[in-house]
Amino acid sequence: MALTRIGLAGLAVMGQNLALNIADKGFPISVYNRTTSKVDETVQRAKVEGNLPVFGFHDPASFVSSIQKPRVVIMLVKAGAPVDQTIATLAAHLEQGDCIVDGGNEWYENTERREKAMEGRGLLYLGMGVSGGEEGARNGPSLMPGGSFEAYKYIKDILLKVAAQVPDSGPCVTYIGKGGSGNFVKMVHNGIEYGDMQLISEAYDVLKSVGKLTNSELQQVFSEWNKGELLSFLIEITADIFGIKDEQGEGYLVDKVLDKTGMKGTGKWTVQQAAELSVAAPTIEASLDSRFLSGLKDERVEASKIFQGDYSTGLLVDKAQLIEDVRQALYASKICSYAQGMNIIKAKSSEKGWGLNLGELARIWKGGCIIRAIFLDRIKKAYDRNSNLANLLVDPEFAQEIMDRQAAWRRVVCLAINNGVSTPGMSASLAYFDSYRRDRLPANLVQAQRDYFGAHTYERVDMPGSFHTEWFKIAHNSKI
C-alpha cells in the first residue's frame, strides 16, 4: 500500500472518531492501539461509514513505517503515565524530524517537559486541545495546538479541514502559541465550561423549584432561549434533555438521574491556576465547589432530615416575569464566567511570554467545542476593539448589557435566597461584578487587621509609602 499522510495512536471513542474525521476529509490515515481489537473495530467502522482510507496496524513498528515522512502521529490516550508510555513506544521507531501530537487533556507542564525531551531526540512535539466530545471529534472539533510551530506547519492543512467550520469566521483552529499553551487554553476552556453548566443548572433549579415549571415548560423555555442571545450548544442540549421520557419507567429521564456530578480534573486545575496567578475566578470556583457538594449525596440526604421545613416564601410568582428575569441573570452571570476565564489565560500568557490572542481564541470556540455560542462572537469583537482589554466587563457593549440586566439579576438571586434555593454561580458572578465596579472595598479593614496581628504594614490613600501602626498598644492605652 502507499504511505499514509498521518497516524493516530489510541482508539477509544475520541481517537476512533478523530481518525474517521481525518479520513473523511481525504487524508489516508494509519491507526494503532495497544489493544488490537480496537484497531480492527476502527477499520470496520471506516468501511461501514463510506470505505474511508483508514489502515490498521497491530504493532508500533509497522504502524510508524506506514506513514509518509516527516511522520506525524497523533496520540489520544489518557493523560499522565499512559502518554509517556505511548511516547516511548512510538519514539523507538520515529526518526529525526518526525512529530508527535498529544490530543488529550494533559497538564500543560507535562507537555513542556515532553517537548524538551523530544527536542533532545530530534523530534517535534505539539500539545493540542481537542474540544467537542465524540460528536465534535467525528464531525468537526475546536482544535487548540500549541508547541512547535514547525510541527504545526506539518499538519496545518489537515487541521484546517478537520476542524469545525463556521461560515463567517472560518475553521475553528489556530496555532495557539509556544510550549504548553494549547493544553492550558483547553484547560481554561473546560473551566469556563464548568461555570456555564453550573449557571444553566441554577437557572433550571430556580425555574423548577420557585417557578414550578414542568419539564415540558422547561423544554419550551430553553428552546426559546436558544433562538436569542443565549443560543449555544449547552442551551440546545439542555432543551433536548428536558424532552426525553424515561424508557424504563414513568416520567422524564432527567428526574431519574442521580444528582452527583463527575469530573476529570480540568476544572480543578483551572481553579488552582487562578489561585497561583492571583486571578479572581469565583464563578468557576463555585461550579467546582458545587460538584464537590453534589458528591456528598448521602450526607445531604441526612442533612435534609435535620433541616426539614418549607423554605419557600409561599408567595405567588409571575412565571413569565421569572422566566425573563432568569434569562437575563443567566446571561449576565455568563459574561462574568467568561471574563474570569479570559483573565486566567491573559495572566498565564503574560507570565510565560506566550503572546496569546484572546480574540482569536473566542473565534475558534465559536464552533465544534462544548462552550460554542453566538455569545463568543461578541467576545471576539470586544478584543478586536481593544486587544489590551483589562476585563470583558468594561468593554462598552458588555458593560451596557450588564447594566441593563443587573436589576433582573439581583431579583433572581434574592428570590432564590429567600426560597432556600442555592445559586452559588449566579451569586458569585454578582458578587464579582459588585466588587469589580466599586472604587473602594472593605479590604482596608482586612489590611488593618493584618498589620495589627502581623505587622504586615499598609499603604495610605492620602500619602505615599509603607506604614505600620502599633494598633494593640494604642488600643490598650486607650482602655486604661
Side-chain angles (χ1 to χ4, degrees):
M1 58 165 270
L3 296 176
T4 60
R5 175 70 171 77
I6 192 169
L8 190 145
L11 297 172
V13 175
M14 285 290 287
Q16 280 192 27
N17 283 357
L18 188 60
L20 293 168
N21 184 356
I22 292 169
D24 217 359
K25 300 303 186 293
F27 300 101
I29 183 169
S30 301
V31 295
Y32 165 75
N33 196 82
R34 194 171 59 177
T35 306
T36 56
S37 61
K38 288 289 185 184
V39 176
D40 300 334
E41 182 183 312
T42 306
V43 171
Q44 183 57 37
R45 271 192 68 188
K47 288 178 182 175
V48 172
E49 296 185 23
N51 284 320
L52 302 175
V54 175
F55 303 91
F57 297 88
H58 289 175
D59 68 280
S62 56
F63 164 66
V64 170
S65 64
S66 72
I67 306 164
Q68 72 179 44
K69 298 179 182 179
R71 303 182 184 93
V72 178
V73 178
I74 299 174
M75 300 180 298
L76 272 163
V77 297
K78 190 176 179 182
V83 175
D84 289 311
Q85 292 160 6
T86 305
I87 290 172
T89 298
L90 297 172
H93 307 285
L94 293 170
E95 301 173 5
Q96 189 163 345
D98 290 347
C99 171
I100 297 175
V101 181
D102 179 9
N105 280 330
E106 186 55 273
W107 175 239
Y108 82 99
E109 289 181 336
N110 285 340
T111 294
E112 295 187 335
R113 167 179 60 80
R114 290 164 185 148
E115 185 184 7
K116 286 177 183 173
M118 291 303 101
E119 190 178 354
R121 302 177 65 161
L123 300 175
L124 303 179
Y125 197 84
L126 275 178
M128 182 171 71
V130 180
S131 179
E134 56 188 89
E135 188 273 336
R138 179 63 182 86
N139 300 306
S142 175
L143 299 170
M144 293 154 256
S148 164
F149 184 66
E150 193 66 28
Y152 174 70
K153 288 193 291 185
Y154 280 7
I155 57 170
K156 181 179 177 181
D157 61 328
I158 296 177
L159 300 184
L160 287 172
K161 288 191 176 181
V162 165
Q165 309 291 316
V166 175
D168 63 341
S169 59
C172 292
V173 60
T174 192
Y175 174 69
I176 301 296
K178 297 177 182 177
S181 59
N183 291 119
F184 190 88
V185 166
K186 173 57 165 59
M187 176 197 77
V188 176
H189 160 286
N190 286 18
I192 294 170
E193 179 185 307
Y194 272 50
D196 234 351
M197 294 172 74
Q198 177 64 28
L199 293 171
I200 291 170
S201 74
E202 291 174 17
Y204 152 64
D205 197 9
V206 172
L207 291 174
K208 180 174 177 146
S209 300
V210 182
K212 308 302 180 186
L213 272 71
T214 65
N215 286 323
S216 178
E217 288 173 320
L218 287 164
Q219 183 185 24
Q220 291 174 355
V221 167
F222 277 81
S223 296
E224 194 61 35
W225 285 356
N226 201 45
K227 296 174 185 174
E229 64 188 11
L230 288 171
L231 189 155
S232 64
F233 173 70
L234 285 170
I235 293 290
E236 178 187 351
I237 67 168
T238 301
D240 288 345
I241 287 167
F242 289 132
I244 294 175
K245 298 283 186 69
D246 182 12
E247 293 181 351
Q248 300 183 47
E250 296 291 321
Y252 290 82
L253 183 56
V254 68
D255 298 323
K256 308 290 178 67
V257 176
L258 181 67
D259 54 323
K260 193 173 178 179
T261 311
M263 66 186 102
K264 292 188 175 178
T266 45
K268 184 177 179 181
W269 290 348
T270 303
V271 171
Q272 289 171 332
Q273 278 297 294
E276 288 285 334
L277 294 162
S278 301
V279 174
T283 311
I284 298 172
E285 290 166 17
S287 70
L288 183 66
D289 287 340
S290 294
R291 294 196 182 198
F292 293 152
L293 280 165
S294 78
L296 304 176
K297 176 63 175 178
D298 293 341
E299 288 182 41
R300 289 189 289 112
V301 169
E302 290 306 309
S304 70
K305 296 172 185 175
I306 297 170
F307 303 109
Q308 285 182 356
D310 183 4
Y311 287 86
S312 69
T313 60
L315 299 175
L316 287 175
V317 174
D318 182 331
K319 273 192 184 183
Q321 184 63 53
L322 178 63
I323 291 166
E324 179 56 19
D325 281 355
V326 171
R327 182 187 69 79
Q328 293 190 38
L330 177 56
Y331 187 80
S333 299
K334 188 183 176 86
I335 293 173
C336 293
S337 184
Y338 279 72
Q340 293 159 29
M342 288 301 191
N343 284 351
I344 295 169
I345 293 172
K346 183 173 68 172
K348 181 56 92 173
S349 177
S350 177
E351 178 189 87
K352 301 285 287 186
W354 285 337
L356 303 186
N357 183 332
L358 301 183
E360 183 69 352
L361 299 184
R363 182 193 71 77
I364 67 168
W365 289 344
K366 283 171 62 180
C369 70
I370 303 302
I371 64 170
R372 62 183 181 267
I374 195 171
F375 172 79
L376 283 156
D377 198 45
R378 314 288 296 279
I379 295 178
K380 181 186 183 302
K381 288 175 181 174
Y383 286 111
D384 286 346
R385 283 191 290 271
N386 180 3
S387 61
N388 295 315
L389 193 62
N391 190 305
L392 271 180
L393 299 186
V394 296
D395 170 75
E397 283 197 14
F398 280 122
Q400 189 59 52
E401 290 182 335
I402 285 272
M403 292 300 288
D404 291 344
R405 289 160 179 76
Q406 65 165 326
W409 195 5
R410 295 181 194 284
R411 282 196 297 270
V412 170
V413 171
C414 289
L415 184 68
I417 290 169
N418 288 334
N419 282 274
V421 175
S422 61
T423 52
M426 286 187 185
S427 300
S429 291
L430 183 55
Y432 177 74
F433 166 67
D434 278 336
S435 294
Y436 193 69
R437 70 173 177 79
R438 294 181 66 191
D439 64 347
R440 187 164 174 83
L441 291 170
N444 56 317
L445 178 58
V446 174
Q447 194 60 19
Q449 291 169 336
R450 294 182 74 242
D451 190 51
Y452 188 119
F453 65 68
H456 292 292
T457 75
Y458 58 90
E459 295 174 85
R460 293 178 60 106
V461 297
D462 54 353
M463 61 183 75
S466 181
F467 299 86
H468 170 60
T469 295
E470 297 289 344
W471 303 86
F472 175 76
K473 286 183 180 178
I474 296 171
H476 180 72
N477 290 337
S478 69
K479 295 173 186 176
I480 297 174

